[in-house]
Amino acid sequence: MQLKVNGAVRSFNGDPEMPLLWYLRDMLELTGTKYGCGMGLCGSCTVHVEGKAVRSCQTKMGTLAGKSVVTIEGLGGGHAVQQAWMKENVPQCGYCQSGQIMQAVALLKEKPKPTDQDIDSAMQGIICRCGTYQRIRTAIKTAAAVKA
Ligand code: FES
Ligand code: FES
């Protein structure tokens, strides 16, 4: 099967049950996407499939034929959300942050001017053991203002 990852066409002939997270990290060496729980509970593995935020540890390769996947590497560094993250000094240890950013990008695509409630409900599945939630919220608002 073929799929697109960060705009490039890729082939995959392995086990259709393999999680996308394994493919990204072990086969494509895109290690910006992190393995946290492996059970769909922490959100650190969040990427986009067809523009929607998904947990890559719970997404099987067999469901991705012809689909487009974007990882943190695909944002390129200059994305408004990444810039806002730097401006607000969001990360602490950093482990959860690629998942946080991918979820935030998906949120702003859907709701360019999110309310606090929108932010809480979109971001609640991404756990930060360092407790950076307040700065995450500020950075999402900063990015929303830039994009407005
Ligand atoms: S590693 Fe996928 S949700 Fe935790
Ligand atoms: S910054 Fe450390 S887990 Fe979120």
Side-chain angles (χ1 to χ4, degrees):
M1 64 172 246
Q2 289 196 321
L3 71 162
K4 262 192 194 169
V5 179
N6 296 336
V9 176
R10 301 283 191 165
S11 297
F12 177 76
N13 300 310
D15 182 353
E17 294 292 307
M18 177 192 276
L20 171 60
L21 178 59
W22 276 214
Y23 177 67
L24 293 173
R25 289 184 55 85
D26 295 346
M27 300 182 79
L28 301 187
E29 297 184 350
L30 293 170
T31 53
T33 305
K34 301 301 183 200
Y35 170 57
C37 65
M39 298 171 71
L41 301 172
C42 76
S44 67
C45 67
T46 300
V47 300
H48 295 174
V49 173
E50 298 292 290
K52 299 248 184 277
V54 302
R55 308 295 184 246
S56 61
C57 72
Q58 300 297 299
T59 304
K60 293 176 178 172
M61 288 305 294
T63 66
L64 295 171
K67 302 265 172 77
S68 173
V69 175
V70 176
T71 70
I72 187 76
E73 290 88 349
L75 296 189
H79 191 283
V81 172
Q82 290 172 304
Q83 296 295 316
W85 244 245
M86 285 191 273
K87 180 163 184 275
E88 305 299 342
N89 275 322
V90 175
Q92 196 160 317
C93 81
Y95 200 84
C96 71
Q97 297 292 334
S98 67
Q100 305 281 8
I101 288 172
M102 296 310 284
Q103 188 74 48
V105 170
L107 165 66
L108 289 170
K109 202 181 287 176
E110 202 180 311
K111 295 189 172 160
K113 284 278 171 205
T115 63
D116 285 352
Q117 217 172 9
D118 293 333
I119 294 172
D120 289 348
S121 88
M123 303 304 293
Q124 68 179 353
I126 321 264
I127 292 166
C128 176
R129 67 182 175 175
C130 300
T132 62
Y133 300 112
Q134 215 41 53
R135 294 201 296 273
I136 286 170
R137 184 188 278 197
T138 305
I140 290 173
K141 289 180 176 174
T142 299
V146 168
K147 285 165 82 80

